Amino acid sequence: MSGMKVGAVIITMGNRPDELRALLDSVAKQDGDRVEAVVVGNGSPVPDVPEGVRTIELPENLGIPGGRNVGIEAFGPSGRDVDILLFLDDDGLLAGHDTAELCRRAFEADPELGIISFRIADPETGITQRRHVPRLRASDPMRSSRVTTFLGGANAVRTQVLAEVGGLPDEFFYAHEETDLAWRALDAGWMIDYRSDMVLYHPTTAPSRHAVYHRMVARNRVWLARRNLPRLLIPVYLGVWLLLTLLRRPSRSALKAWFGGFREGWTTPCGPRRPMKWRTVWRLTRLGRPPVI
């Protein structure tokens, strides 16, 4: 059994008390040493939680990355009090009792492994949505592989990665914050795995259910490129995503919100710019997803 310490960060808006309790129960049932959980109320009170679960109530909603960053710091600077942090959606549920132990073994066996993306499956049907497989060739969700990004509410991160490259970008609030962290981790030499045997049950949903979806997806896509890509690739990457957006034929209101966000991405501060090395561009390409799509 691995000796790596595991913690869990869960953010909540306080509106899913039953689902949150079920998730925390699934965390408590993990094999091996106890997984310490921290629940962050993102601008809302935290519902009743089991004894031993730490809670933090923020006076305002800091967004998904901001809330998760607060949860990271609850485990010491960059989460250093533990070796691994699980980030779990509050309406998810760990399907097996061995997920934490599988994470320990994976990180211990591969010193280059920095992040693990879990498979998300609908609890009723067992189906994994294509968008939840973090690679271009997503037709077989049961195939594990190296990948270039990860799923925000169903993952495990080695805290050494956070200490080295920093946490999630607070200013993104919602959308693409995982890819920003993934690109910085890959640029620092870490690897990311998608593991089909580590499962988080989560009801099938559409990301567009969020009112701010189209604006923030577009704005943050521009910020992501401005922060991380070599200048030569920025117009290529954003041009490809503009074309893909138009090909999907969104509604007039969605397209208006998208273009508003796209404009906002160019006219507002995006945070520090740290362009990835060209060898990282090549690494992403070899992993099947060059940073132009």
Side-chain angles (χ1 to χ4, degrees):
M1 185 179 293
S2 168
M4 298 184 86
K5 294 180 180 178
V6 182
V9 173
I10 300 152
I11 58 173
T12 184
M13 299 292 290
N15 56 350
R16 300 167 176 154
D18 295 339
E19 292 91 337
L20 175 62
R21 171 66 70 134
L23 170 63
L24 290 168
D25 287 345
S26 75
V27 171
K29 291 174 182 174
Q30 291 299 298
D31 298 336
D33 293 338
R34 177 175 174 267
V35 177
E36 183 182 349
V38 170
V39 178
V40 179
N42 216 354
S44 68
V46 175
D48 289 339
V49 296
E51 188 176 349
V53 174
R54 285 193 287 163
T55 61
I56 301 169
E57 294 186 353
L58 302 177
E60 61 178 309
N61 183 355
L62 299 182
I64 293 173
R68 286 186 177 140
N69 283 337
V70 169
I72 292 169
E73 296 302 306
F75 290 94
S78 301
R80 69 183 180 192
D81 294 346
V82 293
D83 303 295
I84 303 164
L85 279 175
L86 311 180
F87 295 90
L88 307 169
D89 277 350
D90 68 341
D91 56 345
L93 184 75
L94 289 173
H97 294 178
D98 59 350
T99 305
E101 191 60 24
L102 287 171
C103 288
R104 293 185 184 102
R105 292 174 188 165
F107 284 120
E108 204 162 63
D110 185 354
E112 290 188 340
L113 181 61
I115 302 171
I116 298 172
S117 190
F118 302 163
R119 181 167 64 89
I120 292 179
D122 185 274
E124 300 290 331
T125 65
I127 292 173
T128 296
Q129 291 180 271
R130 189 181 181 91
R131 70 184 182 89
H132 284 151
V133 183
R135 58 177 179 246
L136 290 179
R137 295 180 178 178
S139 59
D140 182 7
M142 300 309 293
R143 178 173 67 87
S144 299
S145 68
R146 294 283 202 204
V147 288
T148 61
T149 189
F150 63 99
L151 306 173
N155 67 79
V157 179
R158 192 191 294 264
T159 53
Q160 190 179 341
V161 173
L162 302 171
E164 192 171 328
V165 306
L168 296 156
D170 285 341
E171 55 269 47
F172 278 41
F173 197 85
Y174 165 78
H176 302 320
E177 66 272 6
E178 305 92 351
T179 301
D180 187 87
L181 176 57
W183 282 1
R184 285 183 282 125
L186 288 161
D187 197 48
W190 296 100
M191 300 300 289
I192 305 169
D193 278 356
Y194 166 72
R195 288 281 297 264
S196 64
D197 57 333
M198 302 181 190
V199 180
L200 184 87
Y201 285 144
H202 189 281
T204 298
T205 56
S208 54
R209 70 191 186 279
H210 298 291
V212 296
Y213 172 78
H214 296 287
R215 179 177 70 86
M216 289 198 174
V217 159
R219 182 197 69 183
N220 292 359
R221 184 79 70 184
V222 178
W223 281 358
L224 181 68
R226 289 175 58 198
R227 286 163 61 96
N228 295 288
L229 291 181
R231 292 196 188 279
L232 201 62
L233 292 183
I234 293 174
V236 182
Y237 177 79
L238 295 176
V240 167
W241 278 104
L242 172 59
L243 179 61
L244 286 172
T245 299
L246 294 174
L247 288 173
R248 289 168 179 165
R249 302 180 70 179
S251 67
R252 184 183 294 272
S253 61
L255 199 58
K256 181 179 179 182
W258 194 94
F259 274 109
F262 192 81
R263 190 179 312 110
E264 187 181 346
W266 286 109
T267 58
T268 54
C270 64
R273 174 168 163 76
R274 299 188 183 94
M276 65 176 65
K277 309 173 191 73
W278 280 102
R279 71 178 180 220
T280 304
V281 173
W282 176 236
R283 171 188 274 194
L284 287 160
T285 303
R286 283 190 292 115
L287 289 170
R289 189 154 197 164
V292 293
I293 189 168

